[in-house]
C-alpha cells in the first residue's frame, strides 16, 4: 500500500476506470485515497468508496499523483494547475513538453497501457521526463503492475512507437482472427466452425507462447515440412513482416504528429 492520494481525471473511462478498480482490488491505495473525476458525475465506482468529483482542479489539489486518462482531444480544455504534483498521462500523442506547459507539473510521466487493463493483462511502457526520482519511478511501476506488466523506456519517442504496437492491445489479433474466419468461410467452412477455429488460433493456441520463444515455435512447426510450413511460407513470401512494419510506422506517425484537438 502507498501512502499517497491518487487522483484519476477520467477515472470512469475504459482505461482510467480499470486502473481505479485494479489499484483498489490490489490494495495499492485505500479507497479513501482515491479520487476520480468525470464530467457526468456518476459511476458505479463511487459505490466502492472512491470519491467521484466533477471538479478537476479540486481533484488535483487533493492528490499527490494525478493520472490523466481523458481522450487526447479533451486535454486542452482541462485547464488544471498541477504545480508540485506528479502527473502521469495515458494520452496518446500528447508530449511531455505539452503536458508541462499546460499543467506546470513538476514531474511528468507518459505511460501507454492498452485495453487489456480490463483483465489485468496490459503491457505498459512508461517514460519519465528528466528529474523524476527513484521513489516516483517505483510508484509508477507499482501502479501499472496492478493492471499487468510494465517497464520504463528511456526515450519519449518509444512511447509514440509503442502506442502503435502494444498500445493497440487486441487490434492486431482481432484483425488476424477476422481474416482467418472470413477466408475459411470463403473456402466453404460453415460460419460457426470458421469462427471457432479462428478464435482457437488467436485466443487459445497462442497461450502456448506465454512461456515459449516464438521463433523456436515457428522453427519447430516448420520442421515438420507439412501443412504449417506451407502456410507460413506463403505468409512470409507475401511481404508479411514488411506490412507489419508499415502498419506500426503509420500508427507511430499519427502519435508523433499529436492527437490534441
Ligand atoms: N482505450 C485504449 O485502448 C487506449 C490505449 C492506449 C492509450 N489510451 C489513452 O487513454 C486515454 C483514455 O482512453 P479511454 O479509451 O479510456 O477513453 P474513454 O473510455 O472515453 O474514457 C475517457 C474518460 O474521460 C472522462 N472525461 C472526458 N472529459 C473529461 C473532463 N473534462 N474531465 C473529467 N473527465 C473527463 C469521460 O467521462 P465523461 O464523459 O463522463 O466525462 C471518460 O470517463 C486516451 O487519452 C487514450 O489516448 C487508450
Amino acid at each position: 500500500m502507498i501512502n499517497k492520494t491518487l487522483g484519476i481525471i477520467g477515472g470512469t473511462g475504459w482505461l482510467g476506470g480499470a486502473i481505479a478498480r485494479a489499484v483498489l482490488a490490489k490494495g495499492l491505495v485505500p479507497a479513501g485515497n482515491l479520487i476520480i473525476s468525470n464530467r457526468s458525475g456518476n459511476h458505479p465506482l463511487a459505490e466502492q468508496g472512491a470519491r467521484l468529483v466533477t471538479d478537476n482542479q479540486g481533484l488535483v489539489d487533493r492528490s499527490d499523483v494525478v493520472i490523466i486518462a481523458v481522450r487526447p482531444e479533451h486535454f486542452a480544455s482541462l485547464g488544471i494547475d498541477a504545480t508540485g504534483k506528479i502527473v502521469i498521462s495515458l494520452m496518446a500523442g500528447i508530449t511531455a513538453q505539452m503536458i508541462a506547459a499546460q499543467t506546470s507539473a513538476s514531474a511528468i510521466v507518459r505511460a501507454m497501457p492498452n485495453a487489456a487493463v480490463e483483465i489485468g493483462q496490459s503491457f505498459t511502457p512508461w517514460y519519465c521526463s528528466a528529474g523524476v526520482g527513484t521513489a516516483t519511478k517505483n510508484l509508477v511501476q507499482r501502479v501499472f503492475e496492478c493492471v499487468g506488466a510494465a517497464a520504463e523506456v528511456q526515450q519519449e519517442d518509444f512511447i509514440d512507437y509503442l502506442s502503435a504496437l502494444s498500445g493497440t492491445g487486441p487490434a492486431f489479433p482481432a484483425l488476424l482472427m477476422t481474416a482467418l474466419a472470413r477466408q475459411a468461410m470463403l473456402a466453404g467452412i460453415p460460419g460457426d466452425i470458421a469462427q471457432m477455429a479462428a478464435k482457437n488460433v488467436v485466443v487459445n493456441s497462442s497461450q502456448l507462447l506465454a512461456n515459449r520463444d516464438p521463433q523456436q515455435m515457428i522453427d519447430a512447426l516448420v520442421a515438420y515440412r507439412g501443412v504449417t510450413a506451407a502456410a507460413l511460407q506463403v505468409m512470409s513470401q507475401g511481404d508479411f513482416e514488411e506490412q507489419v512494419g508499415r502498419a506500426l510506422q503509420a500508427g507511430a506517425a499519427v502519435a508523433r504528429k499529436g492527437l490534441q484537438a
Side-chain angles (χ1 to χ4, degrees):
M1 187 167 293
I2 54 169
N3 188 20
K4 301 261 184 223
T5 298
L6 179 63
I8 308 179
I9 300 178
T12 59
W14 192 344
L15 261 57
I19 292 168
R21 281 188 293 275
V23 295
L24 290 180
K26 301 262 166 131
L28 186 71
V29 291
N33 283 20
L34 180 64
I35 313 174
I36 55 179
S37 75
N38 66 9
R39 291 166 300 185
S40 33
N42 55 54
H43 195 270
L45 263 171
E47 285 147 33
Q48 291 178 34
R51 264 179 291 170
L52 175 59
V53 300
T54 53
D55 169 17
N56 290 321
Q57 188 58 52
L59 174 149
V60 171
D61 292 342
R62 293 202 295 270
S63 303
D64 305 298
V65 182
V66 177
I67 297 180
I68 303 181
V70 300
R71 294 190 185 190
E73 62 269 28
H74 293 145
F75 174 57
S77 62
L78 288 185
I80 50 166
D81 179 352
T83 305
K85 311 283 179 177
I86 300 163
V87 165
I88 304 173
S89 163
L90 310 186
M91 298 176 292
I94 308 271
T95 64
Q97 200 179 15
M98 288 173 181
I99 298 162
Q102 284 193 45
T103 67
S104 305
S106 57
I108 292 162
V109 177
R110 282 188 64 194
M112 193 49 57
N114 65 38
V117 289
E118 197 179 299
I119 52 167
Q121 296 287 338
S122 174
F123 168 59
T124 307
W126 53 271
Y127 164 83
C128 56
S129 52
V132 173
T134 309
T136 300
K137 290 185 181 195
N138 288 341
L139 187 146
V140 172
Q141 181 70 15
R142 287 179 69 188
V143 166
F144 291 110
E145 281 179 353
C146 288
V147 287
E152 181 182 8
V153 297
Q154 299 301 328
Q155 291 183 35
E156 184 169 2
D157 185 62
F158 292 172
I159 294 294
D160 292 328
Y161 187 87
L162 292 167
S163 301
L165 202 169
S166 47
T168 63
F172 284 105
L175 192 66
L176 178 60
M177 198 162 133
T178 310
L180 290 169
R182 274 201 201 124
Q183 289 301 315
M185 285 188 272
L186 282 175
I189 305 291
D192 56 340
I193 301 295
Q195 305 277 2
M196 282 170 76
K199 187 173 179 179
N200 176 271
V201 166
V202 175
V203 180
N204 306 98
S205 303
S206 63
Q207 297 296 314
L208 283 171
L209 296 172
N211 295 309
R212 282 188 168 93
D213 177 76
Q215 188 59 54
Q216 280 178 11
M217 179 67 87
I218 291 169
D219 293 345
L221 292 170
V222 166
Y224 285 91
R225 298 180 190 208
V227 176
T228 308
L232 293 191
Q233 194 179 9
V234 170
M235 286 290 275
S236 42
Q237 281 170 353
D239 208 19
F240 175 69
E241 197 164 321
E242 289 77 4
Q243 186 71 12
V244 168
R246 283 193 290 275
L248 293 173
Q249 290 294 359
V254 170
R256 288 183 187 121
K257 191 164 140 266
L259 292 167
Q260 204 167 18

